[in-house]
Amino acid sequence: MQPIDALIYPRWTVRVEPKVCAEEGLALAVDGGRILAVLPIAEAEKRFAPAVRHDRPNHVLMPGLVNAHCHAPMSLLRGLADDLPLERWLREHIWPAESRWVGPEFVADGTRLAIAEMLAGGITCFSDMYFHSDVIGEVAAEAGMRAVLGMIALDVPTAWAADADEYLRKGLELHDRLRSEPCSRRHLLRTRHTRSRTRP
């Protein structure tokens, strides 16, 4: 029998390959942080000797969900005048709050909170676009969370950059720095987003 880190026994296993289906009576074999096999329980118990057995009779095991659009650090701004029309909310509340509070420490704390909430909800990868993308990438890597970081370019100064040229320069520098990281820690900037705004 092959020694492995763990066997997980959920009530239901949701597969996505070769087709999407929910099945009972399956076990998941894990070793070294990698999935080795999804197989019938009887076969798993003949083939593997797990260090730990996780029985989950009331749970479903499924691939992680992906949050395709978020601004993770803004978790710290949740509830701030959230009952207003978008433009008024941005101009009168969000942009002034960002100007006053957003910096590397704010971004790190907000990202940690957002990651904790996402993991609790089954999200294992997120696509983000916000200031201090380097900090978001570092926090995601520390948490073992997959992230795709977007490049931002604005035509107004913020705590992150003074003008569009600096936004682009910082974004490209971050892309170049992270693309040489091992795949498990790579957080490449995949998209570019330009937003024009003028302060009231």
Side-chain angles (χ1 to χ4, degrees):
M1 292 176 68
Q2 179 182 346
I4 61 170
D5 292 337
L7 276 175
I8 304 172
Y9 300 86
R11 169 74 180 274
W12 302 277
T13 301
V14 176
R15 296 200 209 218
V16 294
E17 292 290 345
K19 64 178 182 176
V20 178
C21 62
E23 299 177 66
E24 294 187 56
L26 296 177
L28 183 84
V30 180
D31 192 59
R34 298 182 65 89
I35 296 172
L36 299 182
V38 178
L39 65 174
I41 290 172
E43 185 180 338
E45 293 179 341
K46 289 178 184 176
R47 182 173 160 190
F48 298 111
V52 178
R53 174 185 171 124
H54 299 284
D55 290 299
R56 298 294 183 262
N58 299 311
H59 292 74
V60 61
L61 182 67
M62 58 184 275
L65 301 172
V66 176
N67 182 341
H69 180 146
C70 73
H71 310 281
M74 290 185 77
S75 61
L76 296 180
L77 298 174
R78 185 178 297 131
L80 177 62
D82 59 358
D83 57 347
L84 298 174
L86 177 63
E87 282 299 316
R88 184 177 168 200
W89 177 69
L90 289 171
R91 292 178 185 282
E92 296 179 14
H93 298 277
I94 294 301
W95 293 342
E98 287 177 336
S99 296
R100 181 172 181 185
W101 298 111
V102 170
E105 186 175 345
F106 178 98
V107 168
D109 290 344
T111 302
R112 286 188 188 99
L113 172 59
I115 286 175
E117 292 174 339
M118 286 189 274
L119 289 173
I123 296 168
T124 60
C125 178
F126 67 101
S127 177
D128 198 274
M129 187 277 298
Y130 202 66
F131 309 111
H132 299 283
S133 296
D134 54 337
V135 176
I136 296 169
E138 289 164 8
V139 171
E142 288 169 8
M145 183 82 155
R146 295 176 299 148
V148 178
L149 305 179
M151 179 188 296
I152 60 173
L154 303 178
D155 56 5
V156 296
T158 65
W160 171 238
D163 54 32
D165 288 339
E166 187 177 4
Y167 285 104
L168 293 173
R169 178 180 56 76
K170 283 187 167 184
L172 292 171
E173 286 174 357
L174 181 60
H175 174 272
D176 291 344
R177 176 161 49 98
L178 294 181
R179 74 175 169 189
S180 62
E181 291 286 331
C183 219
S184 62
R185 288 181 53 87
R186 188 180 304 154
H187 302 275
L188 298 180
L189 285 91
R190 300 279 189 193
T191 61
R192 295 185 183 182
H193 178 84
T194 303
R195 181 174 70 183
S196 177
R197 72 187 196 194
T198 55
R199 298 186 187 279

